[in-house]
Each structure stands twice: as structure tokens, then as C-alpha cells.
Amino acid sequence: MAKQVYHDVVIMGAGLAGLRAAVEIARRLEGKADIGIVSKVQLMRAHSVCAEGGTAAVLRPEEGDSFELHAWDTVKGSDFLADQDVVDRFVHAMPGEINQLDHWGIPWTRDASGRIEQRPFGGHSYPRATLAADKTGFFEMQTLYDTLLRYRCFKRYDEFFATDILVEDGRFAGLVGIFAPTGETMVFRGKALLIATGGGGTLYGFTTYSQTVTGDGMAMAYRAGLPLEDMEFLQFHPTGLVPSGILMTEACRGEGGYLKNNLGERFMEKYAASKMELAPRDMVSRAEQEEILAGRGFPGSDGKPYLHLDLTHLGADRINKRLPLIREVCMKFLGLDPITTPIPIRPVAHYSMGGIETDINGKTRLDGIWAAGEAACVSLHGANRLGSNSTGECLVWGAITGAEIAAALGKLAASPAVPAAQLAAAEDHWRALLAQQGTENLYELRRALRTMMDDHVGVFRTGELLAKGLVIVRELRQRFAHAPVADKGTVYNSNLFHALELENLLALAEVTIVGALTREESRGAHARRDFPTRDDEKWLKHTLAWRQPDGSPRLEYKPVTITTWKPVERKY
């Protein structure tokens, strides 16, 4: 018998967006809210703590920055696929979020006069990346959780593996999953659900993501009948540490770091002379890949060439003060000191621009369900996200969805009864996985998926590569049915959780590839060698993927909201 737990609001995901929403709900309802926060990890281990470089906001209008400039940078950086009303709302909200965190006690880095410090970031026309050394996400998370502790209106459910969103008559009816410490089935009921579970970048083998970030919220929403938007746009960060993929923050280049090939050249001069290393991420990643394909990389031990991120000219004092985490990671993982030695890097899977479709307030098409942060696609980033806009998105739409949910609670009806058939189907699915027999290995299948994504859906794509990748994904789905779950236990059955995660990743991989194969143009992070130019006449539109009964995606499209700037050629 499944244990049922009721809260007015259920927040799935405890990263920046989830915590910011919880704080906003608690503030607006003066601590009288009833919030349940569920997370597959211990709360302060959400992937948001890994955000490093900064959070973008207009803090110096008197010195040349402006809302219009931040908005233009974001729209241009998105390759004109961002919804411009969303961008406008974002840039106007961000200064308030920075100052609010300051009042709540975050240790922002300060300049010599005591002002909150900002540094340059890729694609921005002004140094507006607000920083807390190179541990910005960590300190933002700590500050939000410290603030939430002032309110005694929430309960944490750590290590709860959510598997299904229950829906009755178009309304949220429950969140079902497995409580890892006991193995028992639990159903969370409530008037409102916020999905804030992060992205799906562990689709790739070479990735900056924590291995716990497997697109679960997106996949659950997809199965529950919600469309996924713009999933073909997956960002590659230019500087993933070789061979681990650990993020070498864009702040390295914001502080003046150079990218160099095996000839010692700062090669970005050939690709984006005005911005150099601080061009948008899609452009820098493509430039790096061009250098590697031209034979100007360094030979890697894994057979994959790499390039250099050179900080040596910055000096020990600047690196120790502004990039202490980067130095620590390089020394611990490679035995390399970036004060004296260049860092080996190459493009790495980093961020999902796509996600669960929402309106400008973070609401989905199902009553009582909102989404925020990287799991959602409010369409702030379009085809390419600018660095330091992601933590800002989590803060802004965490606050917006929190306010929307707080305002709606008095009007929303009580949670309907748990749909017995849906709950039984979820439990039957886990039992079927545990009973699965065959000779396939879950972990070999997961490795094959990630290798395929690295090789077929990378920085550069072609129809031929994508079509082959789609065949492989569908074969892997068939092979998955013959991969047994060796652990038959109930408590902390990570083997079962890995099987459920792989199912989610396979679904997201198919959506990503079908969207990329169908979009016959190059735009932002989606670079087709066989369709090398942007085609606004045919493809200035958002992709919507709906799940069909057989599990495959059906694509629809909707227009991009353009309020101020018509698309022009994107040059830097």
C-alpha cells in the first residue's frame, strides 16, 4: 500500500529554482504555506552548487550598461530564437534578485570601493556577471537554504526517487516514486506541483553535469502529456577539463584567460575577432572543433585531441583570489597547477536550452503544474544560452513561479483522489523492471547511449550522423527490455534507479535527435554541416515534441515572440 503524503505545494527538485520558489512561497504566505520539497539527492547536493562563474544582471546603468543592452545581448546570443517578452522580463527582474541575495547575506565578491563585483562573460557587451569568486552557485544555494530555514513551513524529503506525475482530468493528482531509505512507494499529493529537476546533459559521456542529473523531470512531464520544447538545442561549453569533463568556468576567460592551439596561437582571432575568447559559447565551441579537425589540437590519451586554456599570464594572486576552485580542481584531478601550466580542454555537453514548455509565468498546460529552471523552457535562451544567464533564470523564475503558486493556492481545488490505475501502472512498471531477464547490461547500454550522443549529436551534426544515431537509440530501447536489474532489494536500490534513469535518458535522446534531424538549418548550438546557414523563413519557430502511444515523439511548432528586434546576421 503506497504511503500518501499531502502538502499544499510539492516542489520536485531542490536546486536554485526549487529553493528560490520555496522561499518566495514562504515569504508571500508569511510562513503559513505547507510545502514539501522532494529531491533524489540530499538537498544541498543539487547540481546548482556546481555553477561557478557568475549571475548576469544590470547593476551599473550609470556606467554604460542598460536593460536594453542585456536584452539585446541575450536575444542576439540566442540566434533570435528567444522569446523577447521573456527576455525583457528577465533583464528587468535580475538586479532585484542580486540585491535580494545581498540582503540575505550572500558573500558577493567586492571591488576596491566595496561595490558588488562583476566580470566579463561570453557574448555580453558589458561585464555584468556578478560573482562570488568561482563558487557562485554554491553560495547562492547556501544563502537560499539559510533564508528558507527562517520559515517553519516546509518539510524535506531527501533521497526520494520520483518516477511518475499522476494526472486526472487535466489536473495534477500526485507525484509517485520510491523513498530510497526504505524502498516504500510514496505518493505526494497537493494543489500545486513545481518541477525544478534540472537538465539532461548526462545524455553525453563527456559532460559537466553531475551524474545524478538525468532529465527525470522532463521525461516524467513528457510521459504525463506535456510537450517538450526546443530539445535539439543542447549547449556545449568550450572548456571541459580533459579527460573528466569537469567545468572550467567561463570566468577563466572572463578574467583574461587565453585559448591556444598546438601552434601557440590564440585562434579565436580567426573566428570572432572583436570578442576573442569571450564570444558566445556556441561560436567558441565550433571554433575549437574546427581547430581540432584541422589537426591543431594536442594528442589526447583517449585518442581525442584537446586544446589549451592558458591562465599562466594572469599570475598567482589573481588566480588564487578569483579562480580558487579552478586551481584546486586542476591540482586534485590532474596534478596540474594552472599558475604555471596550461589546462587541457575541449567542448563539453553543458546545458539544456530546451525543456518542459511553459508560459511566461512558468505554468504548463496542465492545471496545478509549473516548471522552472533548466527543466523548463520558458524560452529565455532560444538556440544558445549566454553564460551567467542560467543561474539568473533559476532565480527569476523560481521567484515568479513561487509568487504564482502562492497567489493560486486559495483558488486551486484540493488535490483529487490518487488515480488508482495510474498508481498501479507505475508500481507494475518497477516490478517488471525487477523481473526483467536477459543478457544485456544496463551500464553497457548507458555507455553506448552516451558514446552515440558524443559521436553523432555533437558540436557539428549532419543528417547522416543524426539518422544513424536515431537507429542506435531505438535499438538501445529494444535491448533495454533484456537488461536485468541485478539488485532485487528494496532499500537504496540504486541499480533500479539507474534503470529508470536510463529509460528517461533514452526518451530524451530520441526527442533530441528527431528534433535535430527535422530542423534543417544551423542556429545557435544546433550546427548542421549539411545545412550550414540559418533559415528564418522556414525555421524561426520553436519545436514542440509530444509523446505518442508507442513512446516516439510527434513534432509540432509554434512561433517565436518578437517584440523589438527582427533577426539579423549574427556577427561578433
Side-chain angles (χ1 to χ4, degrees), residues 235-308:
Q235 181 168 84
F236 293 88
H237 195 288
T239 50
L241 184 66
V242 174
S244 65
I246 294 171
L247 176 65
M248 296 289 100
T249 172
E250 194 159 296
C252 293
R253 288 170 284 133
E255 293 295 333
Y258 298 153
L259 292 171
K260 292 183 176 180
N261 59 23
N262 65 12
L263 302 176
E265 299 170 332
R266 287 181 66 190
F267 56 84
M268 282 307 301
E269 188 172 7
K270 294 182 284 187
Y271 302 96
S274 68
K275 291 286 189 184
M276 294 294 287
E277 284 86 359
L278 291 176
R281 289 175 178 175
D282 59 329
M283 290 185 163
V284 181
S285 292
R286 286 195 295 274
E288 290 180 347
Q289 203 65 25
E290 293 281 17
E291 291 296 300
I292 288 169
L293 292 172
R296 292 189 285 272
F298 300 88
S301 58
D302 59 357
K304 295 183 177 179
Y306 61 85
L307 297 161
H308 275 162

Side-chain angles (χ1 to χ4, degrees), residues 115-333:
R115 297 190 308 174
I116 295 172
E117 181 68 285
Q118 295 184 294
R119 63 175 149 220
F121 244 60
H124 290 277
S125 302
Y126 187 89
R128 64 173 70 94
T130 313
L131 62 139
D134 57 354
K135 302 178 184 179
T136 306
F138 172 81
F139 286 120
E140 288 173 343
M141 283 280 289
Q142 293 284 343
T143 303
L144 287 173
Y145 188 54
D146 285 351
T147 303
L148 185 60
L149 287 172
R150 300 176 190 175
Y151 303 94
R152 298 174 180 267
C153 61
F154 72 97
K155 185 172 181 180
R156 284 170 48 181
Y157 299 88
D158 295 353
E159 299 181 318
F160 174 77
F161 192 97
T163 64
D164 293 274
I165 298 167
L166 308 181
V167 176
E168 186 77 3
D169 296 327
R171 289 177 55 205
F172 170 59
L175 178 68
V176 62
I178 303 167
F179 185 50
T182 63
E184 69 182 320
T185 302
M186 292 180 66
V187 182
F188 288 90
R189 299 172 60 208
K191 293 182 176 181
L193 170 69
L194 174 65
I195 305 170
T197 49
T202 51
L203 279 169
Y204 292 79
F206 193 60
T207 179
T208 64
Y209 283 75
S210 304
Q211 291 302 308
T212 52
V213 187
T214 50
D216 304 330
M218 291 190 232
M220 278 186 270
Y222 182 54
R223 290 196 300 274
L226 288 169
L228 299 180
E229 182 176 346
D230 289 343
M231 289 295 289
E232 62 266 39
F233 297 105
L234 191 294
Q235 181 168 84
F236 293 88
H237 195 288
T239 50
L241 184 66
V242 174
S244 65
I246 294 171
L247 176 65
M248 296 289 100
T249 172
E250 194 159 296
C252 293
R253 288 170 284 133
E255 293 295 333
Y258 298 153
L259 292 171
K260 292 183 176 180
N261 59 23
N262 65 12
L263 302 176
E265 299 170 332
R266 287 181 66 190
F267 56 84
M268 282 307 301
E269 188 172 7
K270 294 182 284 187
Y271 302 96
S274 68
K275 291 286 189 184
M276 294 294 287
E277 284 86 359
L278 291 176
R281 289 175 178 175
D282 59 329
M283 290 185 163
V284 181
S285 292
R286 286 195 295 274
E288 290 180 347
Q289 203 65 25
E290 293 281 17
E291 291 296 300
I292 288 169
L293 292 172
R296 292 189 285 272
F298 300 88
S301 58
D302 59 357
K304 295 183 177 179
Y306 61 85
L307 297 161
H308 275 162
L309 171 62
D310 190 353
L311 310 181
T312 58
H313 57 286
L314 299 181
D317 184 62
R318 190 172 186 85
I319 290 172
N320 285 327
K321 286 182 178 177
R322 305 295 284 259
L323 300 167
L325 178 63
I326 293 302
R327 186 179 184 217
E328 178 185 352
V329 166
C330 288
M331 294 175 76
K332 282 186 174 179
F333 284 84

Side-chain angles (χ1 to χ4, degrees), residues 19-20 32 41 47 55 155 183 201 214 224 240 256 269 286 289 306 357 359 392 401 424 435 486 498 520 532 540 557:
L19 288 183
R20 182 65 185 86
K32 297 182 179 66
V41 297
H47 182 62
T55 299
K155 185 172 181 180
T214 50
E269 188 172 7
R286 286 195 295 274
Q289 203 65 25
Y306 61 85
E357 183 213 29
D359 67 13
T401 54
H498 292 156
E520 294 181 335
L540 185 62
Y557 296 90

